[in-house]
Amino acid sequence: DGGITQSPKYLFRKEGQNVTLSCEQNLNHDAMYWYRQDPGQGLRLIYYSQIVNDFQKGDIAEGYSVSREKKESFPLTVTSAQKNPTAFYLCASSSTIDRGAAFFGQGTRLTVV
Amino acid sequence: GQQLNQSPQSMFIQEGEDVSMNCTSSSIFNTWLWYKQDPGEGPVLLIALYKAGELTSNGRLTAQFGITRKDSFLNISASIPSDVGIYFCAGPLDYKLSFGAGTTVTVRA
């Protein structure tokens, strides 16, 4: 089945630890995105990538890092520098960044204790 | 910041009603997307619009790409309980996919 997979669904980490969220797609899409969603809020863009080995900061990139070494994969690291990391994280991909509809993964709920 | 203005922010539906929501921007878009999100899940694409003036249906859902390319609306006809959720409009702008703040649809008691 083609799709976009995020793992894990739920993640718990201690304060001060870095944590990496996985996002894999087999849709052959060039563009991939990471969004953060807080309770009752909309989606805020963290990072996006138009093509392999290239990525750009979104609106709230501070405290996060990404890599795009393979077309299929766009992992997000939440670093200890992120002041309020507890949130619902969503990964998406689209065929192109300027026209293609984006498809989302199921999300990862990160809780930092 | 938010460049897509989505309204209403929330609405209550009664089963069988038709409901409508819209999205506007000061910028021109070449694609409009509408999504629905259920609690704890990722947004699901409902309708994609690629041409100004385009009117597209998906079952009880109908969406239109405004002629000015600065707005879009989504209609839900004959609403049913499973229509509750958060509806988002979205579009690519400045090489980023931007989202409206969402319209929360709830069943009227």
Side-chain angles (χ1 to χ4, degrees), chain B residues 74-109:
Chain B
L74 175 71
N75 284 347
I76 306 172
S77 63
S79 56
I80 60 177
S82 62
D83 288 333
V84 301
I86 305 176
Y87 291 79
F88 292 101
C89 63
L93 190 64
D94 298 332
Y95 297 100
K96 297 183 289 185
L97 187 60
S98 298
F99 282 78
T103 295
T104 300
V105 176
T106 314
V107 174
R108 184 182 294 141

Side-chain angles (χ1 to χ4, degrees), chain A residues 60-106:
Chain A
I60 56 164
E62 186 175 351
Y64 300 98
S65 66
V66 294
S67 63
R68 187 85 188 275
E69 298 175 0
K70 298 187 299 182
K71 188 174 187 177
E72 303 80 21
S73 179
F74 191 40
L76 173 74
T77 297
V78 184
T79 75
S80 57
Q82 167 52 232
K83 299 303 180 192
N84 186 19
T86 294
F88 190 47
Y89 291 89
L90 289 160
C91 179
S93 70
S94 64
S95 56
T96 60
I97 207 163
D98 61 339
R99 292 281 291 181
F103 296 90
F104 282 83
Q106 64 177 359

Side-chain angles (χ1 to χ4, degrees), chain A residues 1-6 24-29 72 93 103-105:
Chain A
D1 276 2
I4 181 164
T5 302
Q6 290 184 243
E24 303 278 333
Q25 54 99 0
N26 60 5
L27 300 167
N28 200 33
H29 284 171
E72 303 80 21
S93 70
F103 296 90
F104 282 83

Side-chain angles (χ1 to χ4, degrees), chain B residues 14-69:
Chain B
Q14 198 150 22
E15 191 169 353
E17 282 184 336
D18 295 347
V19 298
S20 182
M21 60 196 77
N22 67 75
C23 206
T24 62
S25 177
S26 58
S27 302
I28 289 175
F29 284 78
N30 58 16
T31 299
W32 281 99
L33 307 169
W34 284 95
Y35 291 86
K36 178 176 184 267
Q37 185 180 30
D38 292 324
E41 301 293 329
V44 174
L45 181 68
L46 299 174
I47 293 179
L49 302 160
Y50 297 107
K51 187 177 177 182
E54 180 181 356
L55 185 72
T56 297
S57 293
N58 177 8
R60 293 178 297 103
L61 307 175
T62 302
Q64 184 157 29
F65 193 141
I67 289 291
T68 64
R69 295 169 62 193

